[in-house]
Amino acid sequence: MEKNMYERLVTSEKRLKEIDELLLTNEVTSDMNKFKSLSKERSFLEPIVDKFNEFKIANQNKEDALIMSNDKDPEIALMGKEEYKLNSELVDKIIDEIKILLIPRDPNDGKDIIFEIKGAVGGDEANIFAGDLFRMYFKYCEKMRWKVKIIDESPCGVGGYSYIQFVVSGDNAYSRLKYESGVHRVQRVPKTEANGRIHTSTATVVVMPQVEVNEIQIDTADLRVDRYRSQGAGGQNVNKTESAVRITHIPTGIVVSCQTEKSQIQNHEICMQMLASKLAQLEEEKKSKTEAEYRSKIGSGDRNEKIRTYNYPQNRVTDHRIGFTIQQLDRVMEGDLDSIIDALINYDQQQKIAGNSNGTN
């Protein structure tokens, strides 16, 4: 193990012990903010320290086995060599696991998600594809037992959506779905295509962590609030009161709307939360462009980047960012996304480990 990693682990071990002592003091137990902050830090450090203890045991066993391997008794020496090999492999495995644990956590990983899907290039077929993507994510969320709440939508007569916005709530939701932002491309024969020609259409996906209103400073003077009657599919009025709310942030031009709740107050609260999340995302994008900081290839969240192709004739899905291809499009569209997501997470982790090793993060 590298010296700087070992020193960092020793520091983590000392800090965990210090936190455990602090959590028992009256000063911390009487201050909920301090208690939550220390508990959060502890949850990050505990698995690292546990793995460090595993490393120390395996490494000691490795050293003991090395001594055995040099014993004058051939049987003991042979046993020592076998134990040395096993523990050497275990030590290497534990070190790789520690490297992943030491990657700084994304502060947004514990947050809920705001999802936006829009039909882009391809007319009706793009909107139908946007609907297919929504159903794909919805089925994945069902599989993961995450809650999905539609906030705003614009259904199309031919099927699908020109636009749909929804919130995903659940453990590790953002950490697994944050790589989905970008342009998704579909290649298939549309139902309306009489000659059987393959068409290419696209839909855009934006994934944002949900931000509370009090986390972002918003000047009410910068807002234009419109109230209107909620609309159902095909323009049908859902109710006769002006419960739907649309808020425009004048300085940025960001527009948010919500019509899913019967109460205008509730719709307004949801809109404000959406606006706060979008403003936070905008600030993060500005920061990423101006700071010379490490950002992995797949973590950019560029909504203009073509990230994935869904090829129906060949039952193939390809993620272009990492060169990952799977011949299981039918299963993917039924919400079986784990193989793609796991590949993205693994790639991102390896990029960050390499960045840490090179001193770039």
PDB file of all heavy atoms in Angstrom, residues 101-129:
ATOM      1  N   LEU A 101     -13.615   3.377  -1.741  1.00  0.00           N
ATOM      2  CA  LEU A 101     -14.214   3.988  -0.554  1.00  0.00           C
ATOM      3  C   LEU A 101     -13.653   5.386  -0.282  1.00  0.00           C
ATOM      4  O   LEU A 101     -14.338   6.239   0.283  1.00  0.00           O
ATOM      5  CB  LEU A 101     -13.975   3.097   0.668  1.00  0.00           C
ATOM      6  CG  LEU A 101     -14.772   1.788   0.721  1.00  0.00           C
ATOM      7  CD1 LEU A 101     -14.279   0.914   1.874  1.00  0.00           C
ATOM      8  CD2 LEU A 101     -16.269   2.054   0.855  1.00  0.00           C
ATOM      9  N   LEU A 102     -12.407   5.615  -0.684  1.00  0.00           N
ATOM     10  CA  LEU A 102     -11.760   6.902  -0.429  1.00  0.00           C
ATOM     11  C   LEU A 102     -12.163   7.984  -1.432  1.00  0.00           C
ATOM     12  O   LEU A 102     -11.831   9.152  -1.250  1.00  0.00           O
ATOM     13  CB  LEU A 102     -10.238   6.743  -0.442  1.00  0.00           C
ATOM     14  CG  LEU A 102      -9.622   6.038   0.778  1.00  0.00           C
ATOM     15  CD1 LEU A 102      -8.128   5.837   0.571  1.00  0.00           C
ATOM     16  CD2 LEU A 102      -9.880   6.824   2.050  1.00  0.00           C
ATOM     17  N   ILE A 103     -12.862   7.587  -2.501  1.00  0.00           N
ATOM     18  CA  ILE A 103     -13.328   8.587  -3.469  1.00  0.00           C
ATOM     19  C   ILE A 103     -14.299   9.528  -2.754  1.00  0.00           C
ATOM     20  O   ILE A 103     -15.261   9.071  -2.126  1.00  0.00           O
ATOM     21  CB  ILE A 103     -14.041   7.919  -4.661  1.00  0.00           C
ATOM     22  CG1 ILE A 103     -13.066   7.051  -5.454  1.00  0.00           C
ATOM     23  CG2 ILE A 103     -14.651   8.987  -5.582  1.00  0.00           C
ATOM     24  CD1 ILE A 103     -13.738   6.225  -6.537  1.00  0.00           C
ATOM     25  N   PRO A 104     -14.087  10.837  -2.825  1.00  0.00           N
ATOM     26  CA  PRO A 104     -14.999  11.778  -2.158  1.00  0.00           C
ATOM     27  C   PRO A 104     -16.442  11.578  -2.630  1.00  0.00           C
ATOM     28  O   PRO A 104     -16.690  11.425  -3.828  1.00  0.00           O
ATOM     29  CB  PRO A 104     -14.470  13.159  -2.589  1.00  0.00           C
ATOM     30  CG  PRO A 104     -13.031  12.915  -2.919  1.00  0.00           C
ATOM     31  CD  PRO A 104     -12.976  11.531  -3.502  1.00  0.00           C
ATOM     32  N   ARG A 105     -17.347  11.559  -1.710  1.00  0.00           N
ATOM     33  CA  ARG A 105     -18.753  11.354  -2.064  1.00  0.00           C
ATOM     34  C   ARG A 105     -19.330  12.585  -2.746  1.00  0.00           C
ATOM     35  O   ARG A 105     -19.018  13.714  -2.388  1.00  0.00           O
ATOM     36  CB  ARG A 105     -19.565  11.034  -0.812  1.00  0.00           C
ATOM     37  CG  ARG A 105     -19.332   9.637  -0.272  1.00  0.00           C
ATOM     38  CD  ARG A 105     -20.279   9.347   0.881  1.00  0.00           C
ATOM     39  NE  ARG A 105     -20.094   8.009   1.412  1.00  0.00           N
ATOM     40  CZ  ARG A 105     -20.756   7.527   2.454  1.00  0.00           C
ATOM     41  NH1 ARG A 105     -21.631   8.287   3.084  1.00  0.00           N
ATOM     42  NH2 ARG A 105     -20.541   6.297   2.875  1.00  0.00           N
ATOM     43  N   ASP A 106     -20.188  12.321  -3.711  1.00  0.00           N
ATOM     44  CA  ASP A 106     -20.953  13.398  -4.330  1.00  0.00           C
ATOM     45  C   ASP A 106     -21.955  13.883  -3.282  1.00  0.00           C
ATOM     46  O   ASP A 106     -22.772  13.094  -2.792  1.00  0.00           O
ATOM     47  CB  ASP A 106     -21.676  12.856  -5.557  1.00  0.00           C
ATOM     48  CG  ASP A 106     -22.410  13.931  -6.344  1.00  0.00           C
ATOM     49  OD1 ASP A 106     -22.780  14.968  -5.748  1.00  0.00           O
ATOM     50  OD2 ASP A 106     -22.620  13.738  -7.548  1.00  0.00           O
ATOM     51  N   PRO A 107     -21.908  15.150  -2.905  1.00  0.00           N
ATOM     52  CA  PRO A 107     -22.827  15.653  -1.864  1.00  0.00           C
ATOM     53  C   PRO A 107     -24.296  15.523  -2.235  1.00  0.00           C
ATOM     54  O   PRO A 107     -25.168  15.608  -1.374  1.00  0.00           O
ATOM     55  CB  PRO A 107     -22.417  17.124  -1.711  1.00  0.00           C
ATOM     56  CG  PRO A 107     -21.713  17.467  -2.978  1.00  0.00           C
ATOM     57  CD  PRO A 107     -21.037  16.213  -3.420  1.00  0.00           C
ATOM     58  N   ASN A 108     -24.572  15.312  -3.533  1.00  0.00           N
ATOM     59  CA  ASN A 108     -25.961  15.203  -3.982  1.00  0.00           C
ATOM     60  C   ASN A 108     -26.485  13.771  -3.991  1.00  0.00           C
ATOM     61  O   ASN A 108     -27.670  13.549  -4.265  1.00  0.00           O
ATOM     62  CB  ASN A 108     -26.113  15.791  -5.391  1.00  0.00           C
ATOM     63  CG  ASN A 108     -25.866  17.280  -5.428  1.00  0.00           C
ATOM     64  OD1 ASN A 108     -26.324  18.004  -4.552  1.00  0.00           O
ATOM     65  ND2 ASN A 108     -25.132  17.751  -6.417  1.00  0.00           N
ATOM     66  N   ASP A 109     -25.612  12.795  -3.705  1.00  0.00           N
ATOM     67  CA  ASP A 109     -26.011  11.395  -3.854  1.00  0.00           C
ATOM     68  C   ASP A 109     -27.207  11.003  -2.990  1.00  0.00           C
ATOM     69  O   ASP A 109     -27.947  10.099  -3.333  1.00  0.00           O
ATOM     70  CB  ASP A 109     -24.823  10.469  -3.554  1.00  0.00           C
ATOM     71  CG  ASP A 109     -23.928  10.286  -4.777  1.00  0.00           C
ATOM     72  OD1 ASP A 109     -24.316  10.749  -5.863  1.00  0.00           O
ATOM     73  OD2 ASP A 109     -22.852   9.683  -4.635  1.00  0.00           O
ATOM     74  N   GLY A 110     -27.411  11.670  -1.880  1.00  0.00           N
ATOM     75  CA  GLY A 110     -28.524  11.309  -1.008  1.00  0.00           C
ATOM     76  C   GLY A 110     -29.818  12.044  -1.334  1.00  0.00           C
ATOM     77  O   GLY A 110     -30.828  11.844  -0.659  1.00  0.00           O
ATOM     78  N   LYS A 111     -29.787  12.859  -2.374  1.00  0.00           N
ATOM     79  CA  LYS A 111     -30.960  13.688  -2.681  1.00  0.00           C
ATOM     80  C   LYS A 111     -31.902  12.996  -3.665  1.00  0.00           C
ATOM     81  O   LYS A 111     -31.530  12.075  -4.381  1.00  0.00           O
ATOM     82  CB  LYS A 111     -30.512  15.035  -3.267  1.00  0.00           C
ATOM     83  CG  LYS A 111     -29.752  15.895  -2.271  1.00  0.00           C
ATOM     84  CD  LYS A 111     -29.388  17.235  -2.872  1.00  0.00           C
ATOM     85  CE  LYS A 111     -28.663  18.117  -1.847  1.00  0.00           C
ATOM     86  NZ  LYS A 111     -28.284  19.435  -2.425  1.00  0.00           N
ATOM     87  N   ASP A 112     -33.161  13.492  -3.687  1.00  0.00           N
ATOM     88  CA  ASP A 112     -34.118  13.031  -4.679  1.00  0.00           C
ATOM     89  C   ASP A 112     -33.746  13.631  -6.036  1.00  0.00           C
ATOM     90  O   ASP A 112     -32.902  14.529  -6.123  1.00  0.00           O
ATOM     91  CB  ASP A 112     -35.538  13.452  -4.288  1.00  0.00           C
ATOM     92  CG  ASP A 112     -36.023  12.730  -3.037  1.00  0.00           C
ATOM     93  OD1 ASP A 112     -35.439  11.684  -2.693  1.00  0.00           O
ATOM     94  OD2 ASP A 112     -36.984  13.217  -2.406  1.00  0.00           O
ATOM     95  N   ILE A 113     -34.401  13.143  -7.073  1.00  0.00           N
ATOM     96  CA  ILE A 113     -34.050  13.540  -8.447  1.00  0.00           C
ATOM     97  C   ILE A 113     -35.204  14.265  -9.108  1.00  0.00           C
ATOM     98  O   ILE A 113     -36.363  13.893  -8.953  1.00  0.00           O
ATOM     99  CB  ILE A 113     -33.740  12.302  -9.304  1.00  0.00           C
ATOM    100  CG1 ILE A 113     -32.610  11.483  -8.704  1.00  0.00           C
ATOM    101  CG2 ILE A 113     -33.385  12.694 -10.734  1.00  0.00           C
ATOM    102  CD1 ILE A 113     -32.418  10.159  -9.414  1.00  0.00           C
ATOM    103  N   ILE A 114     -34.850  15.283  -9.884  1.00  0.00           N
ATOM    104  CA  ILE A 114     -35.804  15.875 -10.819  1.00  0.00           C
ATOM    105  C   ILE A 114     -35.397  15.401 -12.211  1.00  0.00           C
ATOM    106  O   ILE A 114     -34.262  15.602 -12.646  1.00  0.00           O
ATOM    107  CB  ILE A 114     -35.789  17.410 -10.764  1.00  0.00           C
ATOM    108  CG1 ILE A 114     -36.267  17.891  -9.396  1.00  0.00           C
ATOM    109  CG2 ILE A 114     -36.675  17.987 -11.873  1.00  0.00           C
ATOM    110  CD1 ILE A 114     -36.179  19.372  -9.209  1.00  0.00           C
ATOM    111  N   PHE A 115     -36.310  14.740 -12.887  1.00  0.00           N
ATOM    112  CA  PHE A 115     -36.080  14.193 -14.221  1.00  0.00           C
ATOM    113  C   PHE A 115     -36.870  15.018 -15.232  1.00  0.00           C
ATOM    114  O   PHE A 115     -38.043  15.328 -15.012  1.00  0.00           O
ATOM    115  CB  PHE A 115     -36.612  12.759 -14.275  1.00  0.00           C
ATOM    116  CG  PHE A 115     -35.576  11.706 -14.521  1.00  0.00           C
ATOM    117  CD1 PHE A 115     -35.098  10.940 -13.473  1.00  0.00           C
ATOM    118  CD2 PHE A 115     -35.108  11.455 -15.803  1.00  0.00           C
ATOM    119  CE1 PHE A 115     -34.169   9.939 -13.678  1.00  0.00           C
ATOM    120  CE2 PHE A 115     -34.176  10.452 -16.031  1.00  0.00           C
ATOM    121  CZ  PHE A 115     -33.700   9.689 -14.972  1.00  0.00           C
ATOM    122  N   GLU A 116     -36.250  15.343 -16.355  1.00  0.00           N
ATOM    123  CA  GLU A 116     -36.961  15.980 -17.463  1.00  0.00           C
ATOM    124  C   GLU A 116     -36.647  15.209 -18.740  1.00  0.00           C
ATOM    125  O   GLU A 116     -35.481  14.952 -19.039  1.00  0.00           O
ATOM    126  CB  GLU A 116     -36.522  17.444 -17.646  1.00  0.00           C
ATOM    127  CG  GLU A 116     -36.946  18.370 -16.535  1.00  0.00           C
ATOM    128  CD  GLU A 116     -36.510  19.810 -16.779  1.00  0.00           C
ATOM    129  OE1 GLU A 116     -35.774  20.055 -17.764  1.00  0.00           O
ATOM    130  OE2 GLU A 116     -36.890  20.683 -16.000  1.00  0.00           O
ATOM    131  N   ILE A 117     -37.676  14.836 -19.462  1.00  0.00           N
ATOM    132  CA  ILE A 117     -37.489  14.150 -20.744  1.00  0.00           C
ATOM    133  C   ILE A 117     -38.269  14.918 -21.806  1.00  0.00           C
ATOM    134  O   ILE A 117     -39.446  15.239 -21.613  1.00  0.00           O
ATOM    135  CB  ILE A 117     -37.987  12.689 -20.687  1.00  0.00           C
ATOM    136  CG1 ILE A 117     -37.277  11.921 -19.566  1.00  0.00           C
ATOM    137  CG2 ILE A 117     -37.744  11.990 -22.023  1.00  0.00           C
ATOM    138  CD1 ILE A 117     -37.792  10.497 -19.382  1.00  0.00           C
ATOM    139  N   LYS A 118     -37.608  15.214 -22.919  1.00  0.00           N
ATOM    140  CA  LYS A 118     -38.244  15.944 -24.019  1.00  0.00           C
ATOM    141  C   LYS A 118     -38.012  15.226 -25.337  1.00  0.00           C
ATOM    142  O   LYS A 118     -36.898  14.747 -25.608  1.00  0.00           O
ATOM    143  CB  LYS A 118     -37.675  17.364 -24.132  1.00  0.00           C
ATOM    144  CG  LYS A 118     -37.971  18.280 -22.967  1.00  0.00           C
ATOM    145  CD  LYS A 118     -37.372  19.659 -23.211  1.00  0.00           C
ATOM    146  CE  LYS A 118     -37.625  20.601 -22.035  1.00  0.00           C
ATOM    147  NZ  LYS A 118     -37.020  21.943 -22.277  1.00  0.00           N
ATOM    148  N   GLY A 119     -39.044  15.167 -26.148  1.00  0.00           N
ATOM    149  CA  GLY A 119     -38.856  14.711 -27.513  1.00  0.00           C
ATOM    150  C   GLY A 119     -38.049  15.770 -28.257  1.00  0.00           C
ATOM    151  O   GLY A 119     -38.312  16.965 -28.116  1.00  0.00           O
ATOM    152  N   ALA A 120     -37.067  15.365 -29.042  1.00  0.00           N
ATOM    153  CA  ALA A 120     -36.185  16.339 -29.702  1.00  0.00           C
ATOM    154  C   ALA A 120     -36.317  16.225 -31.213  1.00  0.00           C
ATOM    155  O   ALA A 120     -37.319  16.644 -31.786  1.00  0.00           O
ATOM    156  CB  ALA A 120     -34.745  16.138 -29.238  1.00  0.00           C
ATOM    157  N   VAL A 121     -35.327  15.637 -31.871  1.00  0.00           N
ATOM    158  CA  VAL A 121     -35.323  15.544 -33.332  1.00  0.00           C
ATOM    159  C   VAL A 121     -36.086  14.300 -33.770  1.00  0.00           C
ATOM    160  O   VAL A 121     -35.826  13.202 -33.282  1.00  0.00           O
ATOM    161  CB  VAL A 121     -33.875  15.474 -33.871  1.00  0.00           C
ATOM    162  CG1 VAL A 121     -33.889  15.326 -35.388  1.00  0.00           C
ATOM    163  CG2 VAL A 121     -33.095  16.703 -33.443  1.00  0.00           C
ATOM    164  N   GLY A 122     -37.050  14.485 -34.696  1.00  0.00           N
ATOM    165  CA  GLY A 122     -37.777  13.327 -35.218  1.00  0.00           C
ATOM    166  C   GLY A 122     -39.284  13.438 -35.145  1.00  0.00           C
ATOM    167  O   GLY A 122     -39.993  12.475 -35.417  1.00  0.00           O
ATOM    168  N   GLY A 123     -39.799  14.605 -34.760  1.00  0.00           N
ATOM    169  CA  GLY A 123     -41.240  14.814 -34.760  1.00  0.00           C
ATOM    170  C   GLY A 123     -41.983  13.882 -33.828  1.00  0.00           C
ATOM    171  O   GLY A 123     -41.587  13.678 -32.673  1.00  0.00           O
ATOM    172  N   ASP A 124     -43.063  13.275 -34.342  1.00  0.00           N
ATOM    173  CA  ASP A 124     -43.884  12.383 -33.515  1.00  0.00           C
ATOM    174  C   ASP A 124     -43.078  11.212 -32.974  1.00  0.00           C
ATOM    175  O   ASP A 124     -43.272  10.782 -31.825  1.00  0.00           O
ATOM    176  CB  ASP A 124     -45.064  11.855 -34.330  1.00  0.00           C
ATOM    177  CG  ASP A 124     -46.116  12.922 -34.597  1.00  0.00           C
ATOM    178  OD1 ASP A 124     -46.092  13.955 -33.890  1.00  0.00           O
ATOM    179  OD2 ASP A 124     -46.942  12.734 -35.514  1.00  0.00           O
ATOM    180  N   GLU A 125     -42.192  10.666 -33.799  1.00  0.00           N
ATOM    181  CA  GLU A 125     -41.402   9.524 -33.371  1.00  0.00           C
ATOM    182  C   GLU A 125     -40.501   9.882 -32.182  1.00  0.00           C
ATOM    183  O   GLU A 125     -40.282   9.077 -31.280  1.00  0.00           O
ATOM    184  CB  GLU A 125     -40.546   9.004 -34.533  1.00  0.00           C
ATOM    185  CG  GLU A 125     -39.599   7.868 -34.191  1.00  0.00           C
ATOM    186  CD  GLU A 125     -40.287   6.581 -33.727  1.00  0.00           C
ATOM    187  OE1 GLU A 125     -41.520   6.467 -33.894  1.00  0.00           O
ATOM    188  OE2 GLU A 125     -39.596   5.701 -33.186  1.00  0.00           O
ATOM    189  N   ALA A 126     -39.984  11.125 -32.144  1.00  0.00           N
ATOM    190  CA  ALA A 126     -39.162  11.581 -31.017  1.00  0.00           C
ATOM    191  C   ALA A 126     -39.996  11.636 -29.745  1.00  0.00           C
ATOM    192  O   ALA A 126     -39.530  11.261 -28.662  1.00  0.00           O
ATOM    193  CB  ALA A 126     -38.565  12.949 -31.319  1.00  0.00           C
ATOM    194  N   ASN A 127     -41.243  12.103 -29.881  1.00  0.00           N
ATOM    195  CA  ASN A 127     -42.126  12.168 -28.713  1.00  0.00           C
ATOM    196  C   ASN A 127     -42.513  10.773 -28.219  1.00  0.00           C
ATOM    197  O   ASN A 127     -42.607  10.533 -27.011  1.00  0.00           O
ATOM    198  CB  ASN A 127     -43.381  12.972 -29.053  1.00  0.00           C
ATOM    199  CG  ASN A 127     -43.065  14.433 -29.352  1.00  0.00           C
ATOM    200  OD1 ASN A 127     -42.058  14.964 -28.883  1.00  0.00           O
ATOM    201  ND2 ASN A 127     -43.916  15.078 -30.135  1.00  0.00           N
ATOM    202  N   ILE A 128     -42.731   9.870 -29.160  1.00  0.00           N
ATOM    203  CA  ILE A 128     -43.035   8.488 -28.780  1.00  0.00           C
ATOM    204  C   ILE A 128     -41.841   7.881 -28.045  1.00  0.00           C
ATOM    205  O   ILE A 128     -41.998   7.192 -27.035  1.00  0.00           O
ATOM    206  CB  ILE A 128     -43.377   7.644 -30.033  1.00  0.00           C
ATOM    207  CG1 ILE A 128     -44.710   8.121 -30.629  1.00  0.00           C
ATOM    208  CG2 ILE A 128     -43.445   6.157 -29.682  1.00  0.00           C
ATOM    209  CD1 ILE A 128     -45.038   7.501 -31.985  1.00  0.00           C
ATOM    210  N   PHE A 129     -40.639   8.167 -28.545  1.00  0.00           N
ATOM    211  CA  PHE A 129     -39.424   7.667 -27.897  1.00  0.00           C
ATOM    212  C   PHE A 129     -39.257   8.258 -26.501  1.00  0.00           C
ATOM    213  O   PHE A 129     -38.848   7.571 -25.561  1.00  0.00           O
ATOM    214  CB  PHE A 129     -38.203   7.986 -28.762  1.00  0.00           C
ATOM    215  CG  PHE A 129     -36.892   7.534 -28.178  1.00  0.00           C
ATOM    216  CD1 PHE A 129     -36.727   6.248 -27.705  1.00  0.00           C
ATOM    217  CD2 PHE A 129     -35.815   8.412 -28.115  1.00  0.00           C
ATOM    218  CE1 PHE A 129     -35.512   5.833 -27.154  1.00  0.00           C
ATOM    219  CE2 PHE A 129     -34.599   8.009 -27.583  1.00  0.00           C
ATOM    220  CZ  PHE A 129     -34.453   6.723 -27.090  1.00  0.00           C
TER     221      PHE A 129
END
